[in-house]
Amino acid sequence: MSPAYARCHSYPFGFYPALFSVLLTLLLTAWVGPLQAQEQQLEIKLPTVVLRDLPFEVTVLDSSSSLADGTPITLTADSTDYSGVLSAGEAKFDAVRVDDGAVIATANGTATLTGTASATVLPGWMAILPALVAILIALVLRQVIPALFLGIWLGAVLTYGLSLNGIWLGLLDTFTTYTLKALNDSGHLSVILFSLMIGGMVGVISKNGGTAGIVSAIVGWARSPRYGQSTTAVLGTVIFFDDYANTLIVGNTMRPITDRLRISREKLAYIVDSTAAPVATLALVTTWIGFQVGLIDSAVDQIEGLDESAYSIFLHALAYNFYPVLAILFVFMIALFGRDFGPMLAAERRARSTGQLYRIGARTGESPGEAAEREPKAGKPQRARNAVIPVLVLVIGSLVGIYMTGAKGMDADAPLREIIGNGDSYQAMMWASLLAVLVAGVLSVGQRILSLNEVVDAWYAGVRSMLLAVIILVLAWALSNVNEVLHTADFLVSTLGEALDPPLLPTLIFVLAAFTAFATGSSWGVMGVVMPLAVPLSWAVLTANGMTGAEGMAIFYATVAAVLAGAVWGDHCSPISDTTILSSLASECDHIDHVRTQLPYALLVGIVAIGVGSLPVAYGYYLWWQGLLASGVVLLLVLLVFGRNADKSAPVADPMGDKTAAKAAV
């Protein structure tokens, strides 16, 4: 018997029973509290948390059903009386303020007909603490899941008034209250199921060779460095349904071709990276769509007076999503005009003049392990239709489903826009994703490319790749629930509603999301943290300034787009981003070299997107499509003025050059 074992078991009332007793006491405290409430004739409904000096609504109910309508009700809070009358068994009081949380209601001045209630009262600035803590911890730890969890925990603790007991009860509430509420929602569950099924479809069509077949149909275009870069960019836009699939497939497939054409590995990694997340965030049916629409829906739930569906908001926001569009456009400009500048120009000159595809001493690494699960089965045909057909089923099925659900209950002559706006996008996407997976499986088994077991394994591998995103999404929903309980949006309204210039809001949100994503390396995590704050804040600012018309809605859509675009920009530039790392690995490019050569391009596009696109459009100088056109013209002028053709430029000696290594690489 070990000494430790003897110590633990030699005392029948030792450490472990004592610990159990403490835990049981804490649990009983949480359970017994509600049981001690006595039944009252007047029931007062207060928010769980109220913010000091911020008005809130109180409802008084006649729980005994003994009072007639029209009975005067007096509500007393902090020695201030509020008068109301009973109607249909309840009386509502607006703009109530408290400092200590105690509220007393009396009926008709009779002391025997009373009710009392209290709420946790917090200073207003504490309402934004959970979101701020989540952002700061994400910046410091560069981990989104712990950051979101700690933000939820802090918010749950605040609902108990920062007590020692609240620390323990708040920890339990993170899971049993806020996370459970996030999942106990049919819309949220629809998003999760849709996302998992899309991931499963991607797994199947990758394993059955469908995506490889698409690649084979495209690579025949590559005959020169310009065609090779353009083909890589086209392929990057064709593989639009998943950024990971895009990165791994395009990088590994095009690398032998770009090597033969003496295109630097840095350039390949840049094209792969710039057509991954930017494409996935814009396409209407991707593994991103459910996540983004889910975040918007959760944020919109906090807004009163906004009836537009989350999917419709997402579609409207696409017009103001300048950075992803311009990032893709700039890739094609560079490929077609054959011009580069900065570190990328030096890398391209090195590859063209010496054949050295990467810097000598560079750590190119190995292809990522995830690629093995997506590799097509050896010895089987790779037919593009095995990917095209399921994707078409997914796209067309979603559109048909939205139309079918939207047409219910509407007039036969209703305009298409109203039908689509009335459609149930969640149900439609679930239908379409199920059909797409079944079609992909039938095609794989019917052509004897995969067995049924292999289809299930490939589907599961795709589903597994989405689990991290689902966890982030659920935690983001839970944080949104915490913000709702703490009245975060109301506090931001009172603080910034009249002070913040509305047209500046999209730019400020873009910078916040971009900086956070750059530091954390996670676009999805940043969307989950920033979206629940940005959407209610933008609506509050617009409402406070009387801008809820067409002009205000443009700013609202631009703010939603700013969250998505800023997160993509930060993720695109960040050296710790998963897609940046995968782009380096799939292209077999030194990771730091990839970041160093890509950063000037991403910075240029980001600055132009803000300065020429979103900011002037928000101030009404021109429409969104004019802003996009002006931004594209500016990028082209910068490229033509400062860019140089690596094929025509005089070779520049690379101090790290090695022709022997170059020949071996080619």
Side-chain angles (χ1 to χ4, degrees):
M1 181 182 298
S2 68
Y5 182 88
R7 285 196 302 271
C8 291
H9 293 268
S10 59
Y11 303 101
F13 300 98
F15 173 75
Y16 292 111
L19 177 62
F20 175 77
S21 176
V22 172
L23 295 178
L24 182 60
T25 301
L26 291 173
L27 286 172
L28 287 175
T29 301
W31 175 255
V32 172
L35 296 180
Q36 294 176 342
Q38 298 179 353
E39 184 178 353
Q40 303 175 96
Q41 289 179 302
L42 295 181
E43 179 184 353
I44 303 176
K45 287 192 172 182
L46 292 177
T48 303
V49 174
V50 297
L51 302 181
R52 190 168 289 120
D53 296 328
L54 201 67
F56 59 95
E57 183 181 277
V58 178
T59 301
V60 177
L61 301 175
D62 175 20
S63 56
S64 64
S65 301
S66 61
L67 300 176
D69 286 353
T71 301
I73 303 293
T74 301
L75 190 75
T76 304
D78 289 345
S79 301
T80 301
D81 292 337
Y82 301 85
S83 299
V85 294
L86 205 65
S87 175
E90 66 179 29
K92 291 185 178 295
F93 299 84
D94 297 322
V96 178
R97 299 173 185 264
V98 296
D99 281 331
D100 60 9
V103 177
I104 301 174
T106 58
N108 207 18
T110 304
T112 57
L113 298 175
T114 64
T116 61
S118 62
T120 300
V121 181
L122 298 174
W125 59 269
M126 284 190 175
I128 63 172
L129 274 183
L132 289 180
V133 166
I135 293 174
L136 291 176
I137 292 177
L139 294 176
V140 174
L141 298 182
R142 294 182 176 136
Q143 290 287 338
V144 175
I145 290 179
L148 286 170
F149 176 77
L150 291 174
I152 298 167
W153 187 7
L154 175 59
V157 170
L158 290 176
T159 63
Y160 291 97
L162 280 178
S163 63
L164 290 176
N165 192 42
I167 295 175
W168 169 252
L169 297 178
L171 175 63
L172 300 180
D173 285 351
T174 59
F175 197 65
T176 59
T177 299
Y178 299 104
T179 303
L180 181 61
K181 183 180 178 182
L183 289 171
N184 193 23
D185 181 282
S186 61
H188 291 174
L189 290 176
S190 298
V191 171
I192 291 174
L193 291 175
F194 170 75
S195 300
L196 293 177
M197 292 297 280
I198 290 291
M201 184 205 72
V202 171
V204 174
I205 65 177
S206 297
K207 196 67 177 179
N208 70 14
T211 50
I214 294 177
V215 170
S216 299
I218 293 177
V219 295
W221 299 348
R223 297 187 300 272
S224 68
R226 289 190 183 185
Y227 280 109
Q229 294 177 50
S230 301
T231 301
T232 306
V234 169
L235 184 59
T237 56
V238 170
I239 310 296
F240 63 87
F241 39 81
D242 180 69
D243 58 329
Y244 285 177
N246 179 305
T247 299
L248 298 173
I249 292 170
V250 177
N252 285 288
T253 301
M254 292 302 299
R255 188 176 61 251
I257 299 172
T258 56
D259 284 356
R260 187 175 66 248
L261 298 172
R262 291 195 173 190
I263 298 171
S264 68
R265 294 283 178 82
E266 292 91 334
K267 175 60 75 65
L268 173 61
Y270 162 68
I271 297 176
V272 168
D273 205 356
S274 297
T275 55
V279 170
T281 196
L282 292 173
L284 296 180
V285 182
T286 71
T287 54
W288 288 51
I289 180 68
F291 181 83
Q292 295 176 131
V293 171
L295 290 177
I296 296 170
D297 181 65
S298 179
V300 169
D301 282 344
Q302 305 177 43
I303 300 176
E304 295 184 5
L306 181 60
D307 299 327
E308 188 173 0
S309 68
Y311 193 75
S312 176
I313 292 173
F314 171 77
L315 293 178
H316 281 99
L318 288 178
Y320 304 92
N321 213 344
F322 290 104
Y323 177 77
V325 175
L326 294 175
I328 299 168
L329 181 63
F330 198 54
V331 167
F332 279 97
M333 287 181 183
I334 289 174
L336 294 174
F337 286 92
R339 290 173 174 264
D340 291 285
F341 57 85
M344 188 69 78
L345 177 60
E348 284 290 272
R349 286 176 172 177
R350 181 201 64 224
R352 298 288 201 284
S353 61
T354 69
Q356 183 180 330
L357 303 175
Y358 46 82
R359 174 180 57 82
I360 187 64
R363 298 183 178 182
T364 58
E366 299 292 335
S367 297
E370 292 87 346
E373 294 184 338
R374 300 178 183 269
E375 281 292 323
K377 189 174 180 181
K380 296 295 183 178
Q382 298 177 355
R383 301 179 176 122
R385 66 174 180 267
N386 290 334
V388 172
I389 294 175
V391 171
L392 286 177
V393 169
L394 183 64
V395 175
I396 297 174
S398 296
L399 296 176
V400 172
I402 291 174
Y403 181 85
M404 289 175 57
T405 56
K408 288 183 179 179
M410 299 197 70
D411 297 333
D413 58 348
L416 180 62
R417 181 172 182 176
E418 290 186 9
I419 294 176
I420 297 298
N422 188 54
D424 188 343
S425 58
Y426 294 135
Q427 188 171 16
M429 289 188 294
M430 288 180 66
W431 288 344
S433 63
L434 173 62
L435 293 177
V437 169
L438 292 177
V439 168
V442 169
L443 289 173
S444 303
V445 175
Q447 299 173 61
R448 297 183 179 180
I449 297 175
L450 300 175
S451 66
L452 182 59
N453 287 338
E454 289 171 329
V455 168
V456 173
D457 289 342
W459 174 84
Y460 177 65
V463 168
R464 192 171 64 247
S465 69
M466 298 297 297
L467 289 180
L468 180 61
V470 168
I471 292 171
I472 294 174
L473 183 56
V474 171
L475 290 178
W477 283 330
L479 181 61
S480 179
N481 292 335
V482 168
N483 290 337
E484 184 177 0
V485 172
L486 294 178
H487 310 288
T488 303
D490 294 335
F491 171 73
L492 293 173
V493 172
S494 63
T495 305
L496 301 174
E498 297 179 357
L500 186 63
D501 191 16
L504 278 177
L505 191 59
T507 298
L508 295 177
I509 294 298
F510 178 92
V511 173
L512 172 64
F515 177 74
T516 308
F518 179 83
T520 61
S522 172
S523 55
W524 284 35
V526 170
M527 292 177 193
V529 172
V530 177
M531 189 71 78
L533 281 179
V535 172
L537 173 62
S538 63
W539 185 258
V541 170
L542 294 173
T543 302
N545 287 272
M547 298 176 62
T548 55
E551 179 187 2
M553 289 306 295
I555 295 176
F556 178 76
Y557 297 139
T559 302
V560 173
V563 178
L564 307 179
V568 170
W569 180 90
D571 178 82
H572 194 195
C573 298
S574 176
I576 60 173
S577 161
D578 48 4
T579 51
T580 305
I581 293 170
L582 284 177
S583 298
S584 301
L585 292 174
S587 305
E588 292 194 3
C589 172
D590 184 282
H591 182 57
I592 300 303
D593 289 344
H594 168 45
V595 174
R596 180 177 57 87
T597 54
Q598 174 173 269
L599 191 57
Y601 289 175
L603 283 173
L604 171 64
V605 176
I607 292 171
V608 171
I610 294 175
V612 184
S614 62
L615 200 56
V617 169
Y619 274 100
Y621 290 112
Y622 37 69
L623 300 177
W624 67 266
W625 64 267
Q626 295 170 322
L628 189 61
L629 180 61
S631 299
V633 171
V634 170
L635 287 176
L636 181 59
L637 290 176
V638 171
L639 183 62
L640 294 178
V641 172
F642 296 100
R644 297 292 182 269
N645 192 310
D647 296 316
K648 298 179 181 179
S649 302
V652 175
D654 187 340
M656 303 296 290
D658 185 345
K659 292 185 178 181
T660 303
K663 293 179 180 178
V666 177

